[in-house]
Amino acid sequence: MKLSRPVSWFLLAFGAWSWVVWVTFVKNLAKDASGLAFDHGNPTAYFWVHLALAIVSFALGTAIGVIGFRGLRAVRREAAGATTES
């Protein structure tokens, strides 16, 4: 399956955006003072569930970003191959 340049850029940007959003969320989760994430210094179920969500999102964001990156490389290789054949 070939990905177009715009789709590849979208996937790469989505992967990067996922990392930015979830890194920020994990930092805020670690600093939580409302009592949701920590109960007297001990992690709560809220903390563990949201940490698991963040880890899954990191993995999916990385996979989607890699697909986008590979799509861009393939488009560039195809364009380079077309110019050398001419």
Side-chain angles (χ1 to χ4, degrees), residues 58-71:
F58 288 142
L60 291 175
T62 300
I64 290 168
V66 167
I67 291 168
F69 180 73
R70 288 182 178 177

Side-chain angles (χ1 to χ4, degrees), residues 50-62:
H50 286 82
L51 184 62
L53 286 170
I55 291 169
V56 169
S57 294
F58 288 142
L60 291 175
T62 300

Side-chain angles (χ1 to χ4, degrees), residues 6-85:
V7 170
S8 296
W9 274 113
F10 174 79
L11 293 175
L12 187 59
F14 181 87
W17 176 253
S18 179
W19 269 85
V20 169
V21 168
W22 284 97
V23 165
T24 303
F25 182 82
V26 169
K27 285 180 183 179
N28 291 336
L29 184 64
K31 292 187 238 177
D32 179 55
S34 71
L36 283 174
F38 297 98
D39 184 24
H40 302 298
N42 296 323
T44 63
Y46 177 90
F47 173 83
W48 292 115
V49 166
H50 286 82
L51 184 62
L53 286 170
I55 291 169
V56 169
S57 294
F58 288 142
L60 291 175
T62 300
I64 290 168
V66 167
I67 291 168
F69 180 73
R70 288 182 178 177
L72 284 175
R73 277 194 348 202
V75 167
R76 289 181 183 164
R77 265 190 303 232
E78 187 176 292
T83 59
T84 58
E85 291 176 4

